[in-house]
Amino acid sequence: MKLEILTKHENRNIQNGIISKIRDLINYKNLEPGDKLPAERVLSEKFGVSRSNVREAIQKLEFYGILNSKPQSGTFIANIGQIAMNGMIDDILSLEEQDFKSLVETRILLELKTVKLAAIRRTEDDLERLKQAFKAYKTKMIAGDDCLEEDLLFHLAIASASKNSTMNTLMLLITPEIIVAYDQDRVCDGDVALAEVKKHEDIYMAIKDQNPQLAKEKMKLHFSKLYDYIYGKDREIKIGKG
């Protein structure tokens, strides 16, 4: 399994351009809540972009609750007024690209909770998925190969085992951004060690043994270098001890 990494700036600019045009279309045609948008094919021709670009922009507006897509029916305006919709889209368009520290801080906070839930809620299928992800990570780590994707896939398997769909979705959203940020900031520079494999194994075993507190402690240990990178000596104060 591979994680596809989008080209960040180009894709963001295209998406924002399409979102802006969808807003203008809604305003120009005075579309109201429940009204249907033109089909993706029509929008792609009208805006001069690919259908996949239109689809991604619509999915983003869906995520923020502005549009609703119904299988076999189409895409519809959500039940919000035009003034509120315009304000929300303005906010979306003005969002700045997340910096690496913010992304990793979010990841840490999420995973300290998801790993505890995973230890409580995991199934045998979850354990098998975690085991396979760990083996793939270990193989590449010991060989000295780039294992960033395998590492993150291991953590996504933990999120899935937590059985919390919102947390799982958030991890899926921020993971590709973190992959790019890791590469740009050079935090993971290929200097691998067996100690890192042991940390992953300890997390896996704590989840297997259904020990949520130990799982959290092992996850915090795994993140120790990132804690130092983000918070320095004050990391316990800023992240909290709970």
Side-chain angles (χ1 to χ4, degrees):
M1 179 179 179
K2 292 291 182 182
L3 294 173
E4 295 182 0
I5 304 173
L6 300 175
T7 53
K8 308 312 314 173
H9 295 293
E10 292 179 5
N11 191 66
R12 190 183 303 274
N13 289 337
I14 292 172
Q15 274 193 17
N16 284 351
I18 296 171
I19 288 171
S20 181
K21 289 176 181 178
I22 289 175
R23 176 193 58 191
D24 294 343
L25 179 67
I26 292 172
N27 289 330
Y28 177 74
K29 291 196 171 184
N30 290 316
L31 297 180
E32 298 180 349
D35 286 346
K36 185 178 179 179
L37 281 184
E40 288 179 4
R41 176 184 56 79
V42 175
L43 292 176
S44 69
E45 292 175 358
K46 184 178 182 64
F47 299 156
V49 296
S50 69
R51 290 183 65 174
S52 63
N53 288 144
V54 171
R55 189 175 305 114
E56 288 167 3
I58 288 174
Q59 288 173 347
K60 189 169 186 178
L61 290 174
E62 256 195 298
F63 176 77
Y64 287 103
I66 294 171
L67 298 178
N68 288 323
S69 290
K70 300 178 181 179
Q72 311 302 322
S73 297
T75 302
F76 300 85
I77 312 297
N79 190 28
I80 56 175
Q82 193 173 69
I83 294 176
M85 181 205 70
N86 284 324
M88 290 173 68
I89 290 180
D90 285 341
D91 288 340
I92 293 169
L93 295 176
S94 65
L95 287 175
E96 295 181 1
E97 185 172 356
Q98 293 294 323
D99 64 271
F100 181 51
K101 291 184 180 180
S102 295
L103 287 168
V104 175
E105 181 176 60
T106 302
R107 178 189 172 190
I108 290 172
L109 291 170
L110 279 172
E111 292 214 58
L112 292 181
K113 185 63 177 179
T114 56
V115 75
K116 291 181 68 176
L117 292 176
I120 296 170
R121 300 172 177 175
R122 60 82 176 153
T123 64
E124 292 302 315
D125 287 342
D126 293 324
L127 279 180
E128 181 60 28
R129 192 177 301 112
L130 274 168
K131 182 180 179 181
Q132 294 304 319
F134 168 67
K135 286 173 65 177
Y137 167 79
K138 180 179 179 180
T139 298
K140 281 203 169 184
M141 180 69 100
I142 293 176
D145 296 332
D146 178 15
C147 55
L148 181 56
E149 286 190 359
E150 284 72 21
D151 181 22
L152 289 168
L153 287 171
F154 175 79
H155 289 275
L156 288 177
I158 293 173
S160 177
S162 75
K163 301 297 184 284
N164 184 303
S165 60
T166 301
M167 289 185 176
N168 193 31
T169 299
L170 288 172
M171 280 293 294
L172 287 168
L173 285 170
I174 67 174
T175 292
E177 300 269 1
I178 291 176
I179 291 177
V180 174
Y182 261 111
D183 183 59
Q184 291 173 349
D185 285 52
R186 302 297 179 185
V187 172
C188 188
D189 60 4
D191 182 18
V192 297
L194 288 177
E196 293 302 315
V197 173
K198 182 64 166 60
K199 289 177 184 177
H200 284 72
E201 185 175 20
D202 288 344
I203 293 169
Y204 168 76
M205 291 305 299
I207 293 173
K208 181 180 180 181
D209 294 340
Q210 295 190 297
N211 189 329
Q213 192 57 42
L214 181 61
K216 179 181 177 181
E217 291 172 5
K218 295 301 182 182
M219 184 66 77
K220 288 184 75 171
L221 179 62
H222 172 51
F223 283 145
S224 59
K225 289 182 179 179
L226 284 178
Y227 273 98
D228 290 337
Y229 177 78
I230 298 174
Y231 305 113
K233 294 179 180 179
D234 296 329
R235 62 188 175 96
E236 287 296 337
I237 296 174
K238 295 183 179 180
I239 197 69
K241 298 181 179 181

